[in-house]
Structures are given as structure tokens and as C-alpha cells.
Amino acid sequence: MAAQPVSRMLRRVLRSSVRSCSSGAPVTQPRPGEPSQSAAEELSRRRQFLREFAAPFSAFLTDRFGRQHSYLRISLTEKCNLRCQYCMPEEGVPLTPKTDLLTTEEILTLARLFVKEGVDKIRLTGGEPLIRPDVVDIVAQLHQLEGLRTIGVTTNGINLARLLPQLQKAGLSAINISLDTLVPAKFEFIVRRKGFHKVMEGIHKAIELGYSPVKVNCVVMRGLNEDELLDFVALTEGLPLDVRFIEYMPFDGNKWNFKKMVSYKEMLDTIRQQWPELEKLPEEESSTAKAFKIPGFRGQVSFITSMSEHFCGTCNRLRITADGNLKVCLFGNSEVSLRDHLRAGASEEELLRIIGAAVGRKKRQHAGMFSISQMKNRPMILIGG
Ligand SMILES: Nc1nc2c(ncn2[C@@H]2O[C@H](COP(=O)(O)OP(=O)(O)OP(=O)(O)O)[C@@H](O)[C@H]2O)c(=O)[nH]1
Ligand SMILES: C[S@@+](CC[C@H](N)C(=O)[O-])C[C@H]1O[C@@H](n2cnc3c(N)ncnc32)[C@H](O)[C@@H]1O
Ligand code: SF4
Ligand code: SF4
């Protein structure tokens, strides 16, 4: 049951009006004598309108809790030029033989199918997506897909300054860069490789090329970098960055333990002690991050609170791993191989039925951090975030 083109258009217009509202664009002006409406009220009014009047979303991408999955994360590679402690074991991970990884054609075939069904945002991840030799070409081909509004990349930033001009020309619209410390020696310790200055160069290149905001992902770990929270916040005074502090999450081989996790509340307290004027901002309904700003600063800070306050209720994300598995939840170990079905010659309808069944089995929420830490899952590098 493919979504109708007109209803897709309507949905998109309405969604974009919700987005423009949540991103701080002007809201409806009050009539003379009426109280002015806050951005949050306006956002909630537009969402209500969207729920009531927008045409149905693809049934295959809608789960039993009514969540509509319009955001697809595709892992382009299992390899990486860094070895971050929180993501992978020092000795590396067993890699899938090349013949079992998705080819570029297979990635594009799947992307086309998902976009046809209503996915309007694709994020390329990895491993490190910018080490895939044809990444620029993949972005260019995705850019041709009608209905795809956002093409994003999450990168460690090492190859970014060099590749970003080409990626931008190819159609890359959003960029998230991982950086966990502002101290070069600590960088080497956390990621077990050199490259701090290249990442900084990548961040400045993204700003120079007009990406706004440039999101900086910072995984906060006790004893490692929680003492740098205020320095990261200070960075947003003069730069149009969205620094996103991420709670440390458990994955296979990353030695997670509760004591190393710094919770959202604790981070917020630390920042509020220095900047009591920190102000909450509205955000998109399905955002992974809670956003804040210090009045007068160019940038903002956010918190990705997967562990202490999950956001599963508004989840709109599906994942395809580099070896072609559809993973409906970051913390769920149930996967289905789209690669095998594709290679066996499955038709679009058959693929959609398989995708729909997997989405239908998606759980309401993740199992809680202590259960997750005991569960079998992939190492993060083989998922892609
Ligand atoms: N729990 C949970 N965490 C997620 C999910 N998607 C992304 N993250 C985590 O959020 C952090 C930042 O991920 P990004 O790759 O920048 O993606 P994003 O947060 O969706 O980025 P935007 O599209 O810019 O909102 C990483 O630690 C991801 O693992 C999700 O669906 N569930
Ligand atoms: C797995 S990486 C892949 C993309 C790219 N290599 C990068 O580092 O940006 C995607 C995101 O997941 C985050 N991440 C990795 N391991 C994590 C963990 N244990 N807890 C929270 N976030 C994690 C990274 O910081 C990064 O922002
Ligand atoms: S977080 Fe990204 S850069 Fe770091 S090891 Fe994992 S995939 Fe590589
Ligand atoms: S943990 Fe799973 S259900 Fe929750 S937001 Fe992440 S992907 Fe979605």
C-alpha cells in the first residue's frame, strides 16, 4: 500500500511547518488584543493539525504504536579510521567479508524503496562513512530521489575538510561531527588515534560552508571528559554549533558501566551552576536531543538522554547495517537480512512485506539500561548509532 503522492506532499508541507516552528522561525502573529502565542503552543497546535488532517503514512513503515518511520540510517561501512573506546574494543571487531556487504547499487535500491514509502530523511553513518570511496557519488544519487528532504552524514570529522565541498555539491544537507574533548592529548587517548586538528578543521569547514547548525556529538564519560562540559558550552558563545552531550550507552565490547555514565540531569546541573540563565528551546517531535541555549550565544547545547530519559515514544528511526540487515531498534537484537531477500530476487512487494513485518514487531521502548547492558547486541561500530 504505497502512500499517495498528494498525501505525501500534504504531509511534507505540514511537517515542514512544524519544523520551521520548532527551529525558531516566526510563529503566527496574534490579532490585536489577543495574547501572544508562545512558540511551544504554536508547535503543539500545528502537530495536532498534522495528526488530524494529514493523510495516512505507509502502513509498512508504521508500527503498532502508531510510530511513523520516516528517518532511515544507513551504515556505509564497518571500517573506521579511529578506535573510540566507547564504540569498539581495542582489538577491533570481526569484519564481514566484502561480498556480504551491500553494494552501492543495493544501497540505492533499498533507499529508493524506503523513500517511495515515505522516508524523507536519510543519514549515512558507519563505521566511518567518509572512508567509503564512493560516498560522494552515493550522496549525489540519493539527492536524485524525489521526496527525500534531508541527506545527513554523521562523521568523526577526520576526512571532512577535504570532502565537504564535494559532498555539499552532491546534495549533503546536514552534518553531525563527533568530538569528545577539546584537549588534543585526551583526544588521542579516547579515540586511540591522532587527528584532533583535522576534526577541528572539519568543524570550521562545515561552518564556513554554511551548514547551520553544525552538530557536534560529544559522548560524556565520567573520569574522561565530564570536566570539559563548560568548555564545550563556551564554544557555543561565538560559533553556530549545536553541541550535543550524549549519555554513554552500553554496546557489545565497550565496557559500559553505570558509574561511567553521566546523566542528563547531572550535566544540566553542572551547566546551570555556571549559567543559570540557560533556556529550554522547543525541538522537533522526533528529535533525539533536548535543546537549550544561553541567551546571547550564537550556538546551543543539547542532551541525548537515551539512558536516563529515553525518547522511544516518538521514535521515527530505522537502520540498515552495512551487511544489509534491517534493525528496527538501536537496542533490539532482532534483525532481518534485506540483502539476502534482495539477492534472492524478491519483488518490491515482497520486500515491503518483510520490512512491514519487522516494523510491526518493534517494541514500544528499549529494555532499560541495565537490561541492555546484559543483552547481546552488535558493537556500536557495526550499527552506526
Ligand atoms: N537511543 C537512541 N539513540 C539514538 C537514536 N538515533 C541516534 N541515536 C544516538 O544519538 C547520537 C547522535 O546520533 P546522530 O548520528 O548524530 O543522529 P541524530 O541524533 O538522529 O541526528 P539528527 O538527525 O541531527 O537529529 C548517537 O549516540 C546515536 O547513537 C535512536 O533511535 N535511539
Ligand atoms: C557509531 S558512530 C558512526 C559515525 C562516525 N564514525 C562518528 O563517529 O561520528 C555514530 C555516533 O554514535 C556515537 N556513539 C558511539 N558509541 C556510543 C556510545 N557507547 N554511547 C553513545 N554514543 C555513542 C558516536 O559518538 C557518534 O556520534
Ligand atoms: S564512534 Fe565513529 S569514529 Fe569512533 S570508533 Fe565508532 S565508528 Fe569510529
Ligand atoms: S532505543 Fe529503539 S525505540 Fe528507542 S528511540 Fe532508539 S531506536 Fe527508537
Side-chain angles (χ1 to χ4, degrees), residues 119-141:
V119 159
D120 63 6
K121 171 172 171 179
I122 290 184
R123 175 167 297 285
L124 302 176
T125 176
E128 174 48 37
L130 300 193
I131 63 172
R132 184 164 174 133
D134 60 355
V135 63
V136 176
D137 188 43
I138 290 176
V139 171
Q141 304 243 36

mmCIF file of all heavy atoms in Angstrom, residues 119-141:
data_model
loop_
_atom_site.group_PDB
_atom_site.id
_atom_site.type_symbol
_atom_site.label_atom_id
_atom_site.label_comp_id
_atom_site.label_asym_id
_atom_site.label_seq_id
_atom_site.Cartn_x
_atom_site.Cartn_y
_atom_site.Cartn_z
ATOM 1 N N VAL A 119 9.919 7.677 3.592
ATOM 2 C CA VAL A 119 11.122 8.161 4.296
ATOM 3 C C VAL A 119 11.546 9.476 3.653
ATOM 4 O O VAL A 119 11.652 9.580 2.429
ATOM 5 C CB VAL A 119 12.259 7.104 4.202
ATOM 6 C CG1 VAL A 119 13.623 7.730 4.450
ATOM 7 C CG2 VAL A 119 12.003 5.992 5.216
ATOM 8 N N ASP A 120 11.725 10.509 4.476
ATOM 9 C CA ASP A 120 12.136 11.790 3.905
ATOM 10 C C ASP A 120 13.492 12.265 4.438
ATOM 11 O O ASP A 120 13.958 13.342 4.118
ATOM 12 C CB ASP A 120 11.055 12.877 4.117
ATOM 13 C CG ASP A 120 10.805 13.174 5.579
ATOM 14 O OD1 ASP A 120 11.522 12.649 6.442
ATOM 15 O OD2 ASP A 120 9.869 13.959 5.860
ATOM 16 N N LYS A 121 14.116 11.408 5.267
ATOM 17 C CA LYS A 121 15.447 11.768 5.770
ATOM 18 C C LYS A 121 16.314 10.517 5.817
ATOM 19 O O LYS A 121 15.900 9.482 6.350
ATOM 20 C CB LYS A 121 15.294 12.366 7.166
ATOM 21 C CG LYS A 121 16.591 12.587 7.917
ATOM 22 C CD LYS A 121 16.318 13.374 9.197
ATOM 23 C CE LYS A 121 17.524 13.442 10.100
ATOM 24 N NZ LYS A 121 17.248 14.227 11.311
ATOM 25 N N ILE A 122 17.493 10.617 5.221
ATOM 26 C CA ILE A 122 18.457 9.512 5.294
ATOM 27 C C ILE A 122 19.744 10.041 5.894
ATOM 28 O O ILE A 122 20.226 11.116 5.510
ATOM 29 C CB ILE A 122 18.723 8.900 3.896
ATOM 30 C CG1 ILE A 122 17.484 8.141 3.404
ATOM 31 C CG2 ILE A 122 19.935 7.964 3.936
ATOM 32 C CD1 ILE A 122 17.645 7.422 2.078
ATOM 33 N N ARG A 123 20.271 9.327 6.872
ATOM 34 C CA ARG A 123 21.573 9.682 7.453
ATOM 35 C C ARG A 123 22.557 8.577 7.133
ATOM 36 O O ARG A 123 22.265 7.394 7.334
ATOM 37 C CB ARG A 123 21.437 9.865 8.967
ATOM 38 C CG ARG A 123 22.763 10.119 9.680
ATOM 39 C CD ARG A 123 22.553 10.594 11.096
ATOM 40 N NE ARG A 123 21.869 11.874 11.127
ATOM 41 C CZ ARG A 123 22.437 13.048 10.830
ATOM 42 N NH1 ARG A 123 23.709 13.092 10.490
ATOM 43 N NH2 ARG A 123 21.742 14.150 10.871
ATOM 44 N N LEU A 124 23.703 8.944 6.619
ATOM 45 C CA LEU A 124 24.752 7.971 6.320
ATOM 46 C C LEU A 124 25.696 7.904 7.508
ATOM 47 O O LEU A 124 26.110 8.935 8.044
ATOM 48 C CB LEU A 124 25.508 8.397 5.049
ATOM 49 C CG LEU A 124 24.607 8.555 3.820
ATOM 50 C CD1 LEU A 124 25.405 9.081 2.633
ATOM 51 C CD2 LEU A 124 23.921 7.231 3.459
ATOM 52 N N THR A 125 25.993 6.679 7.915
ATOM 53 C CA THR A 125 26.827 6.520 9.091
ATOM 54 C C THR A 125 27.759 5.337 8.849
ATOM 55 O O THR A 125 27.997 4.921 7.730
ATOM 56 C CB THR A 125 25.931 6.420 10.353
ATOM 57 O OG1 THR A 125 26.752 6.180 11.483
ATOM 58 C CG2 THR A 125 24.860 5.356 10.271
ATOM 59 N N GLY A 126 28.301 4.779 9.941
ATOM 60 C CA GLY A 126 29.233 3.672 9.756
ATOM 61 C C GLY A 126 29.497 2.997 11.089
ATOM 62 O O GLY A 126 28.663 3.083 11.983
ATOM 63 N N GLY A 127 30.587 2.479 11.287
ATOM 64 C CA GLY A 127 31.937 2.822 10.898
ATOM 65 C C GLY A 127 32.049 4.303 10.523
ATOM 66 O O GLY A 127 31.227 5.114 10.898
ATOM 67 N N GLU A 128 33.051 4.575 9.769
ATOM 68 C CA GLU A 128 33.235 5.963 9.345
ATOM 69 C C GLU A 128 32.796 6.103 7.882
ATOM 70 O O GLU A 128 33.483 5.627 6.970
ATOM 71 C CB GLU A 128 34.705 6.383 9.543
ATOM 72 C CG GLU A 128 35.052 7.748 9.000
ATOM 73 C CD GLU A 128 34.068 8.860 9.389
ATOM 74 O OE1 GLU A 128 33.552 8.866 10.524
ATOM 75 O OE2 GLU A 128 33.801 9.714 8.524
ATOM 76 N N PRO A 129 31.656 6.771 7.659
ATOM 77 C CA PRO A 129 31.113 6.820 6.293
ATOM 78 C C PRO A 129 32.042 7.516 5.295
ATOM 79 O O PRO A 129 32.028 7.185 4.113
ATOM 80 C CB PRO A 129 29.807 7.604 6.458
ATOM 81 C CG PRO A 129 29.925 8.330 7.755
ATOM 82 C CD PRO A 129 30.793 7.480 8.619
ATOM 83 N N LEU A 130 32.860 8.441 5.790
ATOM 84 C CA LEU A 130 33.686 9.197 4.839
ATOM 85 C C LEU A 130 34.952 8.454 4.423
ATOM 86 O O LEU A 130 35.796 9.009 3.720
ATOM 87 C CB LEU A 130 34.031 10.587 5.399
ATOM 88 C CG LEU A 130 32.821 11.481 5.710
ATOM 89 C CD1 LEU A 130 33.249 12.921 5.946
ATOM 90 C CD2 LEU A 130 31.766 11.425 4.607
ATOM 91 N N ILE A 131 35.089 7.174 4.842
ATOM 92 C CA ILE A 131 36.186 6.406 4.248
ATOM 93 C C ILE A 131 35.683 5.517 3.103
ATOM 94 O O ILE A 131 36.460 4.868 2.441
ATOM 95 C CB ILE A 131 36.976 5.559 5.281
ATOM 96 C CG1 ILE A 131 36.091 4.504 5.934
ATOM 97 C CG2 ILE A 131 37.655 6.429 6.326
ATOM 98 C CD1 ILE A 131 36.889 3.528 6.804
ATOM 99 N N ARG A 132 34.384 5.518 2.883
ATOM 100 C CA ARG A 132 33.884 4.746 1.728
ATOM 101 C C ARG A 132 34.236 5.530 0.463
ATOM 102 O O ARG A 132 33.827 6.687 0.301
ATOM 103 C CB ARG A 132 32.378 4.538 1.842
ATOM 104 C CG ARG A 132 31.849 3.669 0.716
ATOM 105 C CD ARG A 132 30.473 3.126 0.991
ATOM 106 N NE ARG A 132 29.965 2.431 -0.181
ATOM 107 C CZ ARG A 132 29.391 1.236 -0.167
ATOM 108 N NH1 ARG A 132 29.238 0.580 0.962
ATOM 109 N NH2 ARG A 132 28.945 0.693 -1.279
ATOM 110 N N PRO A 133 34.964 4.909 -0.479
ATOM 111 C CA PRO A 133 35.481 5.671 -1.622
ATOM 112 C C PRO A 133 34.393 6.360 -2.447
ATOM 113 O O PRO A 133 34.621 7.432 -2.995
ATOM 114 C CB PRO A 133 36.215 4.627 -2.464
ATOM 115 C CG PRO A 133 36.466 3.478 -1.546
ATOM 116 C CD PRO A 133 35.415 3.514 -0.480
ATOM 117 N N ASP A 134 33.194 5.750 -2.547
ATOM 118 C CA ASP A 134 32.179 6.364 -3.415
ATOM 119 C C ASP A 134 31.113 7.128 -2.614
ATOM 120 O O ASP A 134 29.997 7.312 -3.088
ATOM 121 C CB ASP A 134 31.529 5.309 -4.308
ATOM 122 C CG ASP A 134 30.845 4.212 -3.497
ATOM 123 O OD1 ASP A 134 30.966 4.223 -2.246
ATOM 124 O OD2 ASP A 134 30.204 3.342 -4.100
ATOM 125 N N VAL A 135 31.501 7.635 -1.441
ATOM 126 C CA VAL A 135 30.484 8.315 -0.610
ATOM 127 C C VAL A 135 29.882 9.545 -1.314
ATOM 128 O O VAL A 135 28.675 9.787 -1.224
ATOM 129 C CB VAL A 135 31.037 8.666 0.801
ATOM 130 C CG1 VAL A 135 32.198 9.634 0.762
ATOM 131 C CG2 VAL A 135 29.932 9.206 1.698
ATOM 132 N N VAL A 136 30.710 10.276 -2.069
ATOM 133 C CA VAL A 136 30.180 11.477 -2.741
ATOM 134 C C VAL A 136 29.152 11.056 -3.800
ATOM 135 O O VAL A 136 28.073 11.650 -3.925
ATOM 136 C CB VAL A 136 31.324 12.304 -3.380
ATOM 137 C CG1 VAL A 136 30.763 13.490 -4.161
ATOM 138 C CG2 VAL A 136 32.296 12.785 -2.297
ATOM 139 N N ASP A 137 29.477 9.998 -4.506
ATOM 140 C CA ASP A 137 28.571 9.503 -5.530
ATOM 141 C C ASP A 137 27.254 9.006 -4.900
ATOM 142 O O ASP A 137 26.161 9.251 -5.437
ATOM 143 C CB ASP A 137 29.281 8.375 -6.289
ATOM 144 C CG ASP A 137 28.468 7.948 -7.482
ATOM 145 O OD1 ASP A 137 27.964 8.847 -8.174
ATOM 146 O OD2 ASP A 137 28.306 6.719 -7.686
ATOM 147 N N ILE A 138 27.354 8.354 -3.760
ATOM 148 C CA ILE A 138 26.138 7.864 -3.094
ATOM 149 C C ILE A 138 25.247 9.056 -2.717
ATOM 150 O O ILE A 138 24.032 9.050 -2.943
ATOM 151 C CB ILE A 138 26.496 7.008 -1.859
ATOM 152 C CG1 ILE A 138 27.115 5.684 -2.323
ATOM 153 C CG2 ILE A 138 25.272 6.744 -0.984
ATOM 154 C CD1 ILE A 138 27.601 4.771 -1.215
ATOM 155 N N VAL A 139 25.868 10.109 -2.163
ATOM 156 C CA VAL A 139 25.075 11.295 -1.794
ATOM 157 C C VAL A 139 24.419 11.874 -3.052
ATOM 158 O O VAL A 139 23.222 12.212 -3.047
ATOM 159 C CB VAL A 139 25.951 12.354 -1.074
ATOM 160 C CG1 VAL A 139 25.192 13.669 -0.901
ATOM 161 C CG2 VAL A 139 26.416 11.819 0.284
ATOM 162 N N ALA A 140 25.192 11.959 -4.142
ATOM 163 C CA ALA A 140 24.639 12.529 -5.378
ATOM 164 C C ALA A 140 23.448 11.714 -5.879
ATOM 165 O O ALA A 140 22.432 12.260 -6.323
ATOM 166 C CB ALA A 140 25.726 12.604 -6.449
ATOM 167 N N GLN A 141 23.551 10.408 -5.783
ATOM 168 C CA GLN A 141 22.453 9.557 -6.271
ATOM 169 C C GLN A 141 21.228 9.660 -5.354
ATOM 170 O O GLN A 141 20.094 9.654 -5.820
ATOM 171 C CB GLN A 141 22.916 8.107 -6.332
ATOM 172 C CG GLN A 141 24.148 7.949 -7.173
ATOM 173 C CD GLN A 141 23.875 7.069 -8.379
ATOM 174 O OE1 GLN A 141 22.790 7.100 -8.957
ATOM 175 N NE2 GLN A 141 24.857 6.290 -8.748
#
